[in-house]
Amino acid sequence: MNCKRRFSLVGIYEKFGNYKLFLFFYHFIFCCLAYSLRIQRGVSDAHFYWAQHISISAHSWFDFADYGANFILFLNYPFLRLGFPFWFGFVLYGFIGYLGILQWIAFSEKIIGGIYYKGSNFLPLIFFLPNLNYWTATLGKEPIVFLSLATLFNFVVDFKGKIVPIALAFLFLLLIRPHVAFLFLFSLLLILLFQKNYSLKRKIIFSIVSFSLFSVLFSMVFRLATVKYWDWNRIVYSNDYSVLSFRNSGSYVPMLDYSIWYKLFSFNFRPLFFDSNSIWAFFASLENSLLLFLHLLTLLIFLKYYKKIYFPVSLKIVFLFSLLLCLVYVNRYANLGIFMRTKIMFEPFLLIGLLLLIKHYFTFKKSNEYN
């Protein structure tokens, strides 16, 4: 082992063999950071979820037996009644977020195995992405949603596993973000219906179950969006109202004035350096620049080798799910910070797909060198 490898960060991970322990403490730093920033802000979603500005004693547990934001209060109610402090909520949700990252790591290793260069596996480096660790370390919906999605995508990879965790993951996703549960189920159904290795009987059974759930999810989504019935003009009005509600926020972007392509670009890759007005925006710009580079690189690889590339079913579902979420959120949100928070529902899984394409490229290139 040469000196450079011995003292490289990746070499340290492999030498001690437990980067997940290091990742745990790294993730906990973001718990402290998220808590500190919420304390400075004074008013936030986290304050609402831990009932910092309302008297919980005036409510019974089942006053919060609902879906959406109230469901988070329902989950937190026992801790609130027992008097656990505000910081404990960040520790609790940070741990849930860490479990979600472990599930994502398992998904990543099943899909891509590893990214090796000179004997070192560089794949673990992506597990330390700041944006993901920050939003899964805060008190809010994101840690539970990410854990649920990571569990479901792990199931999609091989359709094996215990049914209880999978059912609970979908149930939590449904109760917290029913529109995301709907899009996940729709993506899963659409991809599986076009798979030749699935029997007609299995497709029919899955379709019947899915459409039964769709009817429930539709009503839940409409209620959260304050749309009482299917009316396209009402839906457009609701979306425009949601976008304009961000006008007074610090990082508002005029999404209603953008073309669909620039909306998608802004949602996925901004803030970039021209948006940076704080140290946090600068670090976000670094991460977004890396993601933009990977997207452009994989686009070139796909255009050149699309006939040779094999996409696992799980990644087809990831790509479709990511596209659908992007199309929904570019018409609902207009804030750079919200963009960064929202992307963790699909971007980490999409990133694995991009890295798989890049790995394919080097495999093709190496194969051509020996032919």
Side-chain angles (χ1 to χ4, degrees):
M1 182 181 291
N2 59 44
C3 185
K4 288 184 179 179
R5 182 182 171 189
R6 184 179 302 164
F7 291 103
S8 68
L9 186 59
V10 177
I12 291 172
Y13 293 155
E14 294 187 343
K15 183 177 180 180
F16 294 99
N18 197 358
Y19 69 86
K20 293 177 183 177
L21 180 61
F22 182 77
L23 178 60
F24 176 82
F25 290 106
Y26 174 82
H27 187 74
F28 183 74
I29 292 173
F30 285 92
C31 289
C32 298
L33 176 62
Y35 173 71
S36 176
L37 291 175
R38 295 307 182 280
I39 290 295
Q40 291 177 24
R41 188 179 302 173
V43 177
S44 66
D45 289 343
H47 286 82
F48 170 76
Y49 295 137
W50 211 254
Q52 293 298 286
H53 300 306
I54 63 173
S55 174
I56 201 70
S57 60
H59 298 273
S60 72
W61 194 358
F62 288 95
D63 285 343
F64 304 108
D66 200 353
Y67 58 92
N70 280 338
F71 181 68
I72 303 297
L73 274 169
F74 178 80
L75 294 176
N76 295 340
Y77 188 87
F79 301 104
L80 299 175
R81 291 292 291 178
L82 291 171
F84 281 85
F86 190 37
W87 60 263
F88 176 82
F90 285 83
V91 173
L92 175 64
Y93 278 76
F95 181 71
I96 293 171
Y98 177 72
L99 294 179
I101 293 176
L102 292 182
Q103 285 289 322
W104 174 51
I105 291 173
F107 169 83
S108 305
E109 291 175 342
K110 289 175 185 176
I111 292 295
I112 203 170
I115 300 176
Y116 290 92
Y117 179 72
K118 294 184 178 181
S120 295
N121 182 14
F122 283 81
L123 181 63
L125 292 179
I126 70 165
F127 306 144
F128 293 83
L129 287 173
N131 189 59
L132 172 68
N133 279 275
Y134 175 76
W135 286 112
T136 56
T138 192
L139 171 55
K141 297 178 181 178
E142 284 70 29
I144 301 177
V145 168
F146 186 74
L147 173 59
S148 298
L149 284 169
T151 302
L152 291 170
F153 276 121
N154 256 315
F155 166 68
V156 166
V157 172
D158 55 14
F159 290 95
K160 295 178 182 178
K162 297 180 180 179
I163 191 64
V164 173
I166 295 163
L168 284 175
F170 187 78
L171 179 63
F172 276 104
L173 186 62
L174 180 152
L175 290 172
I176 296 173
R177 288 208 170 114
H179 58 290
V180 177
F182 172 83
L183 293 177
F184 173 84
L185 188 60
F186 179 78
S187 301
L188 182 65
L189 175 63
L190 193 61
I191 296 299
L192 292 186
L193 286 179
F194 287 94
Q195 297 305 306
K196 295 180 180 179
N197 57 332
Y198 284 87
S199 66
L200 179 62
K201 180 180 178 181
R202 290 180 68 182
K203 290 179 180 179
I204 291 174
I205 292 173
F206 185 64
S207 298
I208 292 173
V209 173
S210 297
F211 280 110
S212 300
L213 288 170
F214 284 154
S215 60
V216 176
L217 288 168
F218 258 121
S219 62
M220 294 174 70
V221 171
F222 275 19
R223 182 186 163 197
L224 282 179
T226 65
V227 178
K228 295 181 179 179
Y229 51 87
W230 180 266
D231 181 282
W232 183 249
N233 291 329
R234 175 62 181 165
I235 293 172
V236 171
Y237 173 81
S238 177
N239 287 340
D240 290 350
Y241 179 82
S242 176
V243 169
L244 292 173
S245 68
F246 292 96
R247 280 179 297 184
N248 296 321
S249 62
S251 55
Y252 169 73
V253 286
M255 295 290 276
L256 293 179
D257 299 332
Y258 294 163
S259 68
I260 183 61
W261 301 111
Y262 195 51
K263 284 181 180 180
L264 290 170
F265 176 85
S266 297
F267 179 71
N268 285 283
F269 306 116
R270 291 177 64 188
L272 284 173
F273 296 107
F274 59 84
D275 296 306
S276 297
N277 55 6
S278 67
I279 186 65
W280 310 116
F282 174 77
F283 283 116
S285 298
L286 290 175
E287 187 170 325
N288 282 334
S289 297
L290 173 63
L291 291 170
L292 178 59
F293 170 76
L294 291 175
H295 276 77
L296 293 175
L297 178 59
T298 51
L299 178 61
L300 293 174
I301 292 171
F302 176 77
L303 293 175
K304 185 174 182 179
Y305 294 104
Y306 70 93
K307 292 183 179 180
K308 297 182 180 180
I309 293 173
Y310 168 72
F311 287 99
V313 172
S314 54
L315 283 188
K316 292 178 182 178
I317 296 169
V318 166
F319 285 125
L320 180 57
F321 176 71
S322 300
L323 176 62
L324 293 176
L325 270 184
C326 286
L327 292 174
V328 168
Y329 282 118
V330 296
N331 292 297
R332 296 288 296 181
Y333 292 157
N335 178 281
L336 296 178
I338 299 295
F339 292 169
M340 295 297 291
R341 185 182 76 182
T342 304
K343 287 192 300 181
I344 71 162
M345 289 189 290
F346 67 89
E347 186 180 77
F349 307 101
L350 182 61
L351 177 60
I352 299 304
L354 301 181
L355 292 176
L356 182 64
L357 283 175
I358 295 172
K359 188 176 181 179
H360 281 329
Y361 165 73
F362 285 104
T363 301
F364 298 146
K365 186 177 179 180
K366 186 176 181 180
S367 176
N368 290 334
E369 287 176 354
Y370 289 99
N371 289 335

